């Protein structure tokens, strides 16, 4: 059976860990040429050595640095041309109550999770539009569909991606370039260990974790379709539905499980 992405170029940010790494390996397995982008050169080189695949191109760049991303885009466009698929995956989190979230902390989340996504897509879009084809995938979260306590900054950044995607779809309608969003819930990655916290760590029960491989499979599925959005896990789909039906009930349940229980301890 022919590889689904043979001859196609995929650019992935946040490519050396978690969902980004799994997606990189999955696209390589399907025949794609992958431009893997991350901040750390050492981890990029280690991944390249492990993959042992000439179709893997590693590029060190920081999505929070506009100049770095512009230089990256110029290198990519000059060497391999406009990507066929962009997976804007790089992101950071923040666990903090709203009243403890400083301007600096909020700004750092928005810099990576919103502006970083813009910088991962905008430089390539003119060439994709000129070619008349391409797929842009933004990696959001279930908290981009329904905000939860202690994640106001992170939720705001992920909600912003949905507004960005809606506006961009209308701007480029009929161009041949499409935009999709992938919304995982909790995933078994390094994300929680790297998560910045203000105040004590939240001792809360988490839903069953996705594997990074299952999220990568969803990304591949979205890359071959024009579907607007996919929400992963039955629990996340249920929360979205109940929030649409009775948002006040979800407020109460989230307070009980994530706020009230802590106050009682």
């Amino acid at each position: 059976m022919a590889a689904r992405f043979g001859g196609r170029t995929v650019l992935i940010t946040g490519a050396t860990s978690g969902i980004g790494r799994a997606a990189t390996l999955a696209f390589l397995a399907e025949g794609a040429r992958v431009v893997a982008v991350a901040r750390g050169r050492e981890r990029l080189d280690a991944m390249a050595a492990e993959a042992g695949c000439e179709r893997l191109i590693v590029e060190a760049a920081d999505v929070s640095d506009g100049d770095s991303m512009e230089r990256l885009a110029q290198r990519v466009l000059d060497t391999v041309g406009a990507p066929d698929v962009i997976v804007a995956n790089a992101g950071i989190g923040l666990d903090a109550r709203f009243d403890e979230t400083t301007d600096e902390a909020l700004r750092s989340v928005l810099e990576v999770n919103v502006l970083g996504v813009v910088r991962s897509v905008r430089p390539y879009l003119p060439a994709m539009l000129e070619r008349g084809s391409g797929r842009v995938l933004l990696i959001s979260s279930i908290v981009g569909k329904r905000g939860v306590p202690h994640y106001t900054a992170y939720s705001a950044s992920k909600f912003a991606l949905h507004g960005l995607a809606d506006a961009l779809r209308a701007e480029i309608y009929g161009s041949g370039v499409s935009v999709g969003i992938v919304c995982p819930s909790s995933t078994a990655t390094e994300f929680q260990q790297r998560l910045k916290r203000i105040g004590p760590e939240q001792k809360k029960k988490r839903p069953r974790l996705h594997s990074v491989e299952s999220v990568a499979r969803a990304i591949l599925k979205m890359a071959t379709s024009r579907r607007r959005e996919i929400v992963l896990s039955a629990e996340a789909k249920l929360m979205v539905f109940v929030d649409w039906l009775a948002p006040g009930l979800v407020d109460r349940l989230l307070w009980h499980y994530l706020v009230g229980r802590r106050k009682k301890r």
Side-chain angles (χ1 to χ4, degrees):
M1 184 173 63
R4 281 187 289 174
F5 292 91
R8 300 174 70 186
T9 300
V10 180
L11 184 142
I12 302 175
T13 63
T16 55
S17 64
I19 292 170
R21 179 183 174 83
T24 296
L25 297 176
F27 276 108
L28 285 173
E30 291 287 349
R33 173 171 52 188
V34 179
V35 180
V37 181
R39 289 180 299 174
R41 169 57 64 180
E42 185 176 337
R43 295 187 74 166
L44 283 166
D45 290 343
M47 184 171 69
E50 182 182 338
C53 179
E54 63 182 12
R55 289 182 284 102
L56 176 59
I57 302 168
V58 295
E59 288 281 358
D62 184 349
V63 299
S64 68
D65 182 336
D67 290 340
S68 175
M69 293 300 285
E70 286 292 339
R71 291 192 296 270
L72 166 70
Q74 195 60 59
R75 291 195 301 272
V76 171
L77 291 169
D78 287 346
T79 55
V80 299
D84 296 286
V85 180
I86 296 174
V87 181
N89 166 72
I92 61 173
L94 176 66
D95 181 343
R97 288 174 54 93
F98 174 71
D99 57 356
E100 295 176 334
T101 301
T102 64
D103 285 359
E104 181 182 4
L106 174 58
R107 190 176 293 113
S108 68
V109 173
L110 297 178
E111 186 73 49
V112 173
N113 294 4
V114 181
L115 289 174
V117 167
V118 170
R119 296 173 184 132
S120 301
V121 176
R122 186 174 56 197
Y124 309 99
L125 190 59
M128 295 170 78
L129 293 172
E130 183 177 358
R131 186 181 60 206
S133 66
R135 181 71 162 150
V136 174
L137 295 178
L138 312 183
I139 308 305
S140 180
S141 165
I142 185 56
V143 303
K145 300 286 291 179
R146 164 70 217 205
V148 299
H150 296 280
Y151 288 90
T152 49
Y154 185 65
S155 295
S157 73
K158 294 302 186 179
F159 265 83
L161 298 186
H162 293 260
L164 187 159
D166 284 345
L168 181 56
R169 288 189 192 103
E171 285 187 15
I172 63 175
Y173 181 79
S175 68
V177 180
S178 62
V179 182
I181 295 189
V182 180
C183 300
S185 50
S186 295
T187 308
T189 70
E190 301 171 14
F191 184 82
Q192 286 300 319
Q193 287 70 45
R194 294 183 174 185
L195 185 70
K196 182 178 179 181
R197 292 184 172 87
I198 300 175
E201 180 177 354
Q202 302 307 304
K203 303 294 185 181
K204 49 183 174 281
K205 182 179 180 182
R206 297 191 176 277
R208 184 176 58 188
L209 300 180
H210 298 299
S211 69
V212 291
E213 292 79 13
S214 69
V215 181
R217 287 194 295 271
I219 292 171
L220 261 68
K221 181 178 180 180
M222 287 289 284
T224 58
S225 76
R226 297 180 66 86
R227 185 172 173 177
R228 296 168 68 92
E229 178 181 290
I230 185 170
V231 176
L232 306 183
S233 88
E235 296 91 340
K237 292 174 183 176
L238 178 61
M239 184 168 77
V240 171
F241 174 73
V242 176
D243 187 59
W244 171 78
L245 192 66
L249 173 61
V250 178
D251 290 341
R252 189 159 62 249
L253 290 171
L254 289 173
W255 180 89
H256 175 73
Y257 284 104
L258 303 183
V259 181
R261 281 186 172 183
R262 182 185 176 197
K263 287 184 174 182
K264 293 175 183 178
R265 288 200 296 267

